[in-house]
Amino acid sequence: MGESVQFPSSTGPMLAGRIDLPEGAVRGWGVFVHGFTLGKDTPAASRMCKQLAAEGIGMLRFDALGLRDSDGDWGDGSFTVKVDDTVRACQFMAERGTPADILVGHSWGGAAVIAAAERSPGTRAVVSIGAPADPSHVEHHFDAIADRAVADGEAEWLVGGRALTLKRDFVEDVRRADIDDKIRALSLPFMVMHSPTDNTVSIDNASTLFWATKHPRSFVALEGSDHLLTADGQAARAGKIISAWADQYVG
C-alpha cells in the first residue's frame, strides 16, 4: 500500500513523493533519500522502503528537484539543496502527524542525511548506504563537462538517455560541499552499510564515516551487492537489517 504526496522544496517547486504505508502494527516512520541522479522508484529506494513498510515502518521516498515526477530544474539543485529538501521532507512528515524516526540515505543521499540529521524534526537514528564521505565525490560523474559548465554558465549532460543541465552554481556548490563537521558532530545512533565490492563508491568511504562518528554506531557489510543494490534480494535484505537495528529507535 502506498500514498502519493507532494510537498514544497526548499527552493519553491513541488517535490513528488510516495509514502509506503506500514503493514500491521505501526512501529514507526522514516524518510528515504535517493542517490545523485536516481529517484524514488529505483530498485534500491522502492524495495528497501517496501520491505521496511512490510515490517511496520512507514517510509517517505521522494524525487529530488527536477527528477522524475518532481517539479523544477535539476540544475537548480545542489548538495545544499538536497540537504535542505531532506529537512523539508522530515518537516512534511512531522506536519502530517507521522514524524520520521529514522533517516535512510543511499549513495549521495547517504551524505545528505548525515548533513540534515540534526536539523530534521523527529529524527532519532541515521543510516547511510554506499555513501561517499566527501559529497564532491560525485564530480567524477560529470568531470568531462564540469569546467565547461563553470566557464559558460551551464552545459548539457546526458545521463541514462536523459538530458540534464549542469549549471555553474551546481558545480561550485558540489566542490564546496564538506560534511566533515557534520559527521564528527552527529549525536544520533548511526549505521553505515556498504558493499565491499562497491565499484562506484569504495568501501574506504564507509571506514571514514564509521571511525569519524561517535557511539552508538554500527557497520554492516552488504557483501554480494553492487552500488545500486540491483541484485535479487539485496535491497530487501538491507531493509530487513535496518528494521532490526532501528527497533529501539522507532515508535
Side-chain angles (χ1 to χ4, degrees):
M1 294 178 62
E3 175 185 346
S4 295
V5 298
Q6 284 189 319
F7 60 93
S9 75
S10 58
T11 59
M14 298 300 289
L15 301 179
R18 183 169 183 82
I19 299 177
D20 293 291
L21 299 172
E23 297 179 20
V26 178
R27 293 172 54 211
W29 299 88
V31 168
F32 183 97
V33 182
H34 67 71
F36 188 42
T37 58
L38 302 177
K40 69 180 185 308
D41 298 318
T42 51
S46 62
R47 294 171 187 172
M48 241 182 289
C49 288
K50 287 176 181 177
Q51 183 63 47
L52 284 162
E55 301 195 17
I57 303 176
M59 295 295 295
L60 166 65
R61 46 190 165 104
F62 63 98
D63 290 325
L65 188 73
L67 292 180
R68 275 67 181 192
D69 299 323
S70 286
D71 295 338
D73 186 336
W74 178 83
D76 292 329
S78 61
F79 185 70
T80 298
V81 170
K82 192 169 185 70
V83 172
D84 290 345
D85 285 350
T86 299
V87 175
R88 283 295 180 98
C90 291
Q91 291 171 342
F92 169 76
M93 290 294 280
E95 288 165 2
R96 73 187 295 274
T98 54
D101 306 291
I102 183 169
L103 266 177
V104 181
H106 173 228
S107 192
W108 213 41
V113 299
I114 293 169
E118 300 287 358
R119 295 168 49 205
S120 300
T123 301
R124 302 169 64 187
V126 182
V127 178
S128 71
I129 305 157
D134 180 356
S136 66
H137 176 276
V138 297
E139 187 170 347
H140 77 276
H141 291 296
F142 55 78
D143 58 1
I145 62 168
D147 290 340
R148 179 154 55 90
V150 171
D152 299 343
E154 61 182 48
E156 188 176 83
W157 182 34
L158 293 177
V159 184
R162 294 172 296 150
L164 298 176
T165 302
L166 184 67
K167 298 185 178 181
R168 177 189 294 123
D169 288 348
F170 192 111
V171 175
E172 292 178 343
D173 183 87
V174 166
R175 289 175 174 175
R176 288 192 304 266
D178 184 350
I179 61 170
D180 284 353
D181 58 336
K182 301 295 185 184
I183 297 168
R184 298 180 195 287
L186 188 65
S187 61
L188 299 169
F190 180 49
M191 179 163 68
V192 182
M193 307 180 82
H194 214 112
S195 170
T197 53
D198 188 329
N199 293 323
T200 302
V201 179
S202 75
I203 198 166
D204 293 346
N205 288 268
S207 299
T208 299
L209 291 173
F210 181 82
W211 290 113
T213 50
K214 308 179 185 73
H215 285 298
R217 61 187 178 186
S218 303
F219 172 76
V220 173
L222 297 174
E223 66 277 2
S225 296
D226 60 8
H227 181 67
L228 298 178
L229 281 80
T230 53
D232 188 41
Q234 290 294 346
R237 172 181 176 241
K240 292 176 184 177
I241 294 169
I242 294 168
S243 172
W245 174 81
D247 192 55
Q248 61 184 324
Y249 309 123
V250 297

